[in-house]
Amino acid sequence: MSLARIIRSAMTWGIASFYGSVMLVTMTLGAIRRGPRAFFGYKVRQDRPKCLDDPELGTHGYVRLKSSGLRFHYVAAGERGKPLMLCLHGFPECWYSWRHQLKEFRNSYRVVAPDLRGYGETESPQPFGYWGWPNFSVSHLTNDVRELIEALGYSSCTLVAHDWGGVVAWQFAIDHPDLVDKLIVMNIPHPGIFAKYMSTHFSQFRRSWYMFLFQLPWLPEILVKSFDFEMISDCFKGKGMGCRRRDAITDEDLEAFKYTFARPEANMSGAINYYRAAFKAPPPRSYKGTKVTCPTLMIWGDQDAALEVGLTEGTDKFVPDFTLKMVPGASHWVQQDQPEVVIGIMRDWLK
């Protein structure tokens, strides 16, 4: 390990420990105020919310990938043979975050929304828990997309992605330009921009505190589960991070996302290990000078509490055929917060 990596690792652990200490105090005070039973009283959800089986959203399917052996779950809408639109979700989500797009684009595309590895009904590689983070490197995740396209019977796709799905989509478009006809990313910057921007903008560094917290073992899993997955409620409906449109996420929608992580078979560490691998595993290669050659649309909710609008600047240096569309008043969860606006932007651009 180089000296630079040793220093970077020490700094990461120092910052992570600081935020971990803060959260330990916060969690302890919450447990005292509301009671330990409430703190540890998260529900294991046996029954699926009905919205997950809404036939208007499509049909459920499964494929087993060759190299990993993992069984992937997906929901597909639209006839086989139509062009493939593959939709990749973020954290803490699942395929259901694309419910509006599944219904809207089924007449023009075969729209497929999978659960990414470690999420929902898609299997998580062993070993489980903190020590499984090496299985969630970007190279593993992009290979999943490559094999998934092949398993679905296609040679290329229109790739649509948000948040962590966008991280994977950017790298996939860089590494496999022949497999991506068009790329649509939502509220996630190009990988060549994020690290530099965070190092020069303390406000973004401060917003990214949870990425450092997630480097710690065990504590993040306990935090997410506490008070019956209250963190997920805060993400989608809280005053800071949540959707700006009050009816964007219904109680049933929220229960669907909680069910993703509270099923008897669920492995909370899988989703958090994406962040751990991003810090610990070296990137596939240098991002400097890399290009995304396919036409690319970036959609950005300008009220994102986690990622600043400034992260969109300079993307055209990496993407010659680039279009940026802002969605005023939309949160980080832009495709759920303002689905009609996002669908309109997508449809116009795809034409």
Side-chain angles (χ1 to χ4, degrees), residues 136-144 171 284:
F136 293 87
S137 66
V138 172
S139 59
H140 280 100
L141 303 175
T142 54
N143 190 63
D144 287 344
Q171 189 62 42

Side-chain angles (χ1 to χ4, degrees), residues 1-192:
M1 183 182 292
S2 67
L3 179 60
R5 287 197 65 189
I6 293 174
I7 294 173
R8 179 188 171 194
S9 179
M11 290 178 62
T12 298
W13 274 100
I15 298 169
S17 298
F18 168 76
Y19 284 122
S21 300
V22 172
M23 289 312 302
L24 271 175
V25 173
T26 303
M27 290 161 60
T28 301
L29 292 175
I32 292 172
R33 186 175 69 254
R34 298 165 63 179
R37 181 175 296 181
F39 182 86
F40 293 105
Y42 67 88
K43 295 188 296 185
V44 175
R45 287 157 168 83
Q46 301 283 350
D47 299 324
R48 291 167 60 87
K50 292 181 180 179
C51 60
L52 292 178
D53 294 315
D54 182 352
E56 290 189 10
L57 301 182
T59 58
H60 294 258
Y62 300 87
V63 292
R64 192 169 294 279
L65 303 190
K66 294 178 182 178
S67 62
S68 65
L70 297 177
R71 190 181 77 154
F72 267 65
H73 166 254
Y74 65 88
V75 173
E79 297 176 4
R80 297 178 185 274
K82 291 182 177 180
L84 175 63
M85 176 183 283
L86 187 62
C87 302
L88 309 180
H89 66 80
F91 173 90
E93 299 174 281
C94 64
W95 70 267
Y96 186 69
S97 62
W98 299 108
R99 58 195 177 280
H100 303 290
Q101 288 71 30
L102 282 162
K103 289 190 289 186
E104 181 65 27
F105 290 101
R106 65 189 308 161
N107 293 328
S108 305
Y109 293 88
R110 174 74 167 170
V111 189
V112 176
D115 285 329
L116 300 183
R117 71 160 59 192
Y119 280 85
E121 296 179 58
T122 290
E123 293 177 341
S124 184
Q126 295 184 355
F128 299 132
Y130 172 83
W131 298 109
W133 67 261
N135 291 314
F136 293 87
S137 66
V138 172
S139 59
H140 280 100
L141 303 175
T142 54
N143 190 63
D144 287 344
V145 176
R146 182 184 64 81
E147 291 196 28
L148 189 56
I149 293 171
E150 180 183 351
L152 293 170
Y154 287 86
S155 58
S156 65
C157 70
T158 292
L159 190 57
V160 182
H162 169 255
D163 188 73
W164 250 108
V167 175
V168 179
W170 277 120
Q171 189 62 42
F172 186 78
I174 292 168
D175 292 343
H176 302 283
D178 55 321
L179 299 183
V180 185
D181 302 319
K182 293 183 178 181
L183 174 64
I184 301 176
V185 290
M186 304 183 191
N187 281 73
I188 195 71
H190 184 282

Side-chain angles (χ1 to χ4, degrees), residues 185-340:
V185 290
M186 304 183 191
N187 281 73
I188 195 71
H190 184 282
I193 292 175
F194 183 70
K196 182 178 179 180
Y197 185 91
M198 188 167 71
S199 67
T200 56
H201 293 76
F202 183 71
S203 55
Q204 180 57 58
F205 180 87
R206 197 171 52 213
R207 293 185 188 209
S208 304
W209 67 273
Y210 61 94
M211 299 182 187
F212 292 94
L213 175 68
F214 284 0
Q215 303 310 304
L216 299 174
W218 309 302
L219 182 64
E221 284 86 340
I222 295 172
L223 172 64
V224 174
K225 292 180 178 180
S226 64
F227 300 113
D228 194 30
F229 296 91
E230 188 173 67
M231 192 206 79
I232 295 179
S233 301
D234 291 341
C235 279
F236 292 112
K237 303 193 76 169
K239 290 183 179 179
M241 188 70 184
C243 291
R244 296 302 184 264
R245 191 166 58 88
R246 294 184 63 182
D247 60 346
I249 304 290
T250 67
D251 290 342
E252 189 176 25
D253 295 335
L254 187 60
E255 190 63 21
F257 290 121
K258 288 187 177 184
Y259 176 80
T260 297
F261 302 102
R263 299 164 57 246
E265 307 87 354
N267 171 32
M268 188 69 241
S269 295
I272 296 175
N273 278 341
Y274 281 60
Y275 293 93
R276 291 164 175 155
F279 275 66
K280 294 177 172 62
R285 60 185 180 186
S286 173
Y287 290 121
K288 185 177 181 181
T290 56
K291 300 288 185 182
V292 175
T293 57
C294 67
T296 300
L297 168 66
M298 175 182 280
I299 300 174
W300 200 280
D302 70 353
Q303 297 301 305
D304 191 330
L307 299 170
E308 295 182 354
V309 173
L311 287 163
T312 64
E313 298 173 3
T315 307
D316 54 346
K317 296 178 182 178
F318 298 92
V319 190
D321 190 348
F322 177 66
T323 301
L324 171 64
K325 293 291 184 180
M326 287 287 172
V327 182
S331 66
H332 178 73
W333 322 101
V334 61
Q335 82 275 30
Q336 300 182 76
D337 202 348
Q338 297 287 346
E340 296 84 3

